Amino acid sequence: MGNTEFKWYEKASGKKLRKPENIEKLKLKGEVKKAEKNNKASAEKSFHKKNFSQTLTDSKILSLFNTEKIPAESKAVLENFGKIVSDTEKLSLKQQTLLPEKIKQLSHLLTDDRGDRRLGYMNDASFVTAYINYFQWWNLVRLVNLFSNLPAESFPVEDGDSCLDIGSGPLTIPISLWLARPELRTKKITFYCMDLSQNILAAGEEIFYSICAKTIKNGQQPWKIVRIKGTGGTQLRTKPVFIACGNVLNERAQNSQKEGDFLSKKFTEEIISYFDKDDNSRTKTVLIVEPGDPHSARLVSLMRSALIKRDFLPLSPCPHYLPCPMEGRTKNCPDRKWCNFAFSTENSPASLLKLSEKSKLKKDRAVLSFVLAQKKSVIKTDEENKKTPDLQNSFFLRVASDLIHLPEMHTAGYYCCTNIGLVLAINKSRRKIKNGDLICSAPPKDIKGLSTDKKTGALIIEI
């Protein structure tokens, strides 16, 4: 038996003799896989460099809620949203009088009476009216502010593209995007809006086109809206490049007996199944937005982790793609901090604040939890990487709290998310810092020697 043949027991096990040219192909295949793995790691390293490079040229602090970035015509829409809704709904005097009480009832149903909430509760016309006149208005205030301040590459949508909004309700996310990102108004986009309630979708579509009519410029055309009755997993013929889930996953989780770990993986697989898995020429974007309460924030953190495992890297708010240092409360860690961001409502529409008082739902802060993640289409070349600023000596912090007074230390600081975990940042530079800000600072010199916060275990640093 020659050296190129197998022994009888090797043949019996199914082992086959490969031709020399096939061996070379296998070697090449292995090298390609290794190169792809290295390229992916390189892409991940440069992903946030591109995202945060503007911090070196524009400012040392980037706000998450800078109202000056909201277009003027969009501010006018937010201020007069109540009148826009009134013109489309044409409520009777009696309905207007009963509205604050209906808003209060719906608030209880969405919070402390969740167990009594039935599936498809938004098919009730009175609840639809209450939701649009109050809850959608507040959601627009939150999301338009947020979307106006997200990085430029957050919504890479082109002419002819499709977008999917799961749990769309009265089209809050499409309306928010239209108001917050005027550069998208020039795009010929089809928005597939999915919800169990056709009533609320129809009402939202009417409001959307009414707002478009007030903000369209230079021959622009409104996006095409396609209403779909269903929820996550409902079949869709087209392949979107952008998928959003706003205030819907927490409701689905509340109606399930499954644990958050299981649900986050299930929801993630549902979402990414809508993308074209064979098309790597386009960036695919997922946006998850939920209320800033502990349970919803915990789910967002779990979704972030599940998305990263499927190669969707967090673009915002995370300053890194390492494990989340604010992953929220669990049975074993009931006091752990959860990731949420807030801004004051003092500059919110006067009519909305007045309606809040009438409904006995006074709101001082607008709060949310979110993650925007992308699967990039093209790995940057070495030449492109040379154009990226060197951020090796920079350190990014995302502020995740209001100012915290520290009497024992005779100072004040902020909890921040960083790539070394949760930190308590002492503002030695006395810069004006707000909840949600992204800060570029010099990295700590001796991480091992840093003190820790007694309450949370966060590392204490100075910025």
Side-chain angles (χ1 to χ4, degrees):
M1 187 179 290
N3 292 333
T4 58
E5 294 183 358
F6 293 127
K7 295 182 174 59
W8 68 268
Y9 53 83
E10 291 178 314
K11 291 180 180 179
S13 68
K15 198 170 184 179
K16 294 181 180 180
L17 183 67
R18 291 191 175 98
K19 296 179 180 180
E21 58 268 28
N22 289 340
I23 293 174
E24 292 302 316
K25 287 181 181 178
L26 287 171
K27 286 182 179 179
L28 179 60
K29 188 176 180 181
E31 290 173 1
V32 168
K33 283 188 174 181
K34 185 177 180 181
E36 287 176 345
K37 185 177 180 181
N38 290 337
N39 280 343
K40 180 185 173 185
S42 175
E44 289 177 346
K45 288 179 180 178
S46 63
F47 189 78
H48 283 80
K49 283 186 178 182
K50 180 181 179 183
N51 181 20
F52 301 144
S53 62
Q54 56 184 307
T55 56
L56 298 181
T57 56
D58 296 339
S59 173
K60 288 292 183 181
I61 297 179
L62 288 180
S63 174
L64 194 62
F65 302 114
N66 180 6
T67 55
E68 291 182 4
K69 289 195 174 183
I70 301 175
E73 70 277 10
S74 300
K75 287 182 180 179
V77 168
L78 289 177
E79 190 68 37
N80 298 293
F81 183 75
K83 186 177 185 307
I84 293 171
V85 172
S86 178
D87 291 342
T88 58
E89 288 191 326
K90 295 180 170 55
L91 297 181
S92 67
L93 185 60
K94 182 179 179 180
Q95 287 174 316
Q96 293 177 38
T97 304
L98 294 175
L99 185 58
E101 184 59 33
K102 276 294 179 182
I103 290 170
K104 191 175 180 181
Q105 288 179 18
L106 183 55
S107 177
H108 284 306
L109 201 61
L110 293 172
T111 53
D112 45 305
D113 293 337
R114 291 170 180 170
D116 298 331
R117 189 175 63 209
R118 59 182 175 81
L119 196 65
Y121 64 98
M122 275 301 172
N123 281 311
D124 186 314
S126 63
F127 282 154
V128 169
T129 298
Y131 187 89
I132 289 173
N133 278 273
Y134 181 79
F135 297 95
Q136 183 181 24
W137 199 349
W138 272 121
N139 285 334
L140 289 173
V141 169
R142 290 185 186 93
L143 296 184
V144 172
N145 201 351
L146 173 67
F147 293 171
S148 297
N149 287 279
L150 289 177
E153 64 270 29
S154 297
F155 308 103
V157 183
E158 300 299 336
D159 283 341
D161 282 346
S162 297
C163 302
L164 173 62
D165 184 19
I166 301 174
S168 188
L171 279 63
T172 305
I173 284 183
I175 292 172
S176 298
L177 277 175
W178 179 272
L179 291 173
R181 310 296 292 220
E183 73 275 14
L184 296 181
R185 298 176 198 167
T186 62
K187 309 294 183 183
K188 295 178 181 178
I189 300 170
T190 300
F191 238 109
Y192 290 83
C193 300
M194 186 182 292
D195 201 279
L196 289 171
S197 169
Q198 281 289 344
N199 290 346
I200 202 164
L201 285 174
E205 183 177 10
E206 193 170 352
I207 294 169
F208 173 75
Y209 286 127
S210 177
I211 289 173
C212 289
K214 298 177 185 301
T215 52
I216 276 179
K217 298 177 181 177
N218 303 323
Q220 297 171 348
Q221 294 294 320
W223 302 329
K224 182 181 178 181
I225 300 297
V226 178
R227 299 182 318 213
I228 300 174
K229 185 175 182 179
T231 185
T234 300
Q235 189 174 1
L236 190 70
R237 292 182 180 179
T238 191
K239 295 295 183 183
V241 296
F242 172 80
I243 299 176
C245 298
N247 294 357
V248 63
L249 298 182
N250 79 89
E251 289 195 10
R252 292 182 63 188
Q254 289 163 16
N255 294 326
S256 174
Q257 300 299 318
K258 301 291 186 181
E259 293 292 329
D261 286 323
F262 173 85
L263 291 174
S264 63
K265 293 172 185 175
K266 177 179 182 292
F267 295 156
T268 297
E269 292 307 314
E270 279 182 2
I271 292 168
I272 65 177
S273 69
Y274 287 110
F275 291 119
D276 188 347
K277 63 180 180 180
D278 298 320
D279 183 6
N280 296 318
S281 65
R282 297 295 305 279
T283 295
K284 301 174 178 70
T285 305
V286 174
L287 172 67
I288 310 293
V289 186
E290 294 289 348
D293 63 88
H295 295 290
S296 300
R298 169 67 176 162
L299 182 60
V300 170
S301 179
L302 290 171
M303 290 292 297
R304 173 189 181 274
S305 177
L307 285 166
I308 289 175
K309 289 177 182 176
R310 300 294 266 119
D311 299 329
F312 283 79
L313 301 181
L315 180 66
S316 186
C318 317
H320 61 84
Y321 46 85
L322 301 172
C324 179
M326 295 182 291
E327 53 187 351
R329 296 173 177 177
T330 63
K331 292 179 181 178
N332 296 329
C333 301
D335 298 324
R336 189 160 51 192
K337 182 166 174 55
W338 65 96
C339 181
N340 68 99
F341 304 96
F343 60 91
S344 171
T345 61
E346 61 182 352
N347 294 321
S348 297
S351 298
L352 178 56
L353 293 172
K354 187 176 180 180
L355 182 58
S356 296
E357 288 185 7
K358 280 186 178 180
S359 306
K360 298 180 181 179
L361 296 170
K362 189 177 179 181
K363 194 183 296 290
D364 297 320
R365 301 166 79 244
V367 189
L368 55 78
S369 295
F370 79 100
V371 62
L372 178 76
Q374 290 183 336
K375 187 173 184 179
K376 288 291 185 179
S377 58
V378 181
I379 305 302
K380 289 168 62 177
T381 64
D382 289 339
E383 189 63 31
E384 287 176 313
N385 275 323
K386 288 177 183 177
K387 298 177 183 178
T388 303
D390 180 16
L391 306 183
Q392 296 299 321
N393 296 319
S394 297
F395 180 61
F396 295 103
L397 308 91
R398 177 70 75 178
V399 180
S401 76
D402 294 330
L403 182 67
I404 301 167
H405 294 284
L406 306 167
E408 292 183 4
M409 301 173 64
H410 305 288
T411 185
Y414 302 83
Y415 285 117
C416 302
C417 176
T418 75
N419 64 356
I420 63 171
L422 182 66
V423 303
L424 178 56
I426 308 301
N427 187 14
K428 286 288 185 181
S429 62
R430 298 188 180 279
R431 288 180 284 184
K432 291 183 179 180
I433 295 174
K434 292 183 179 180
N435 193 317
D437 284 353
L438 180 70
I439 302 172
C440 180
S441 181
K445 293 181 180 179
D446 181 18
I447 296 176
K448 292 182 179 180
L450 294 175
S451 301
T452 57
D453 175 38
K454 292 179 181 179
K455 182 179 178 181
T456 63
L459 297 172
I460 300 175
I461 65 171
E462 295 181 353
I463 56 173

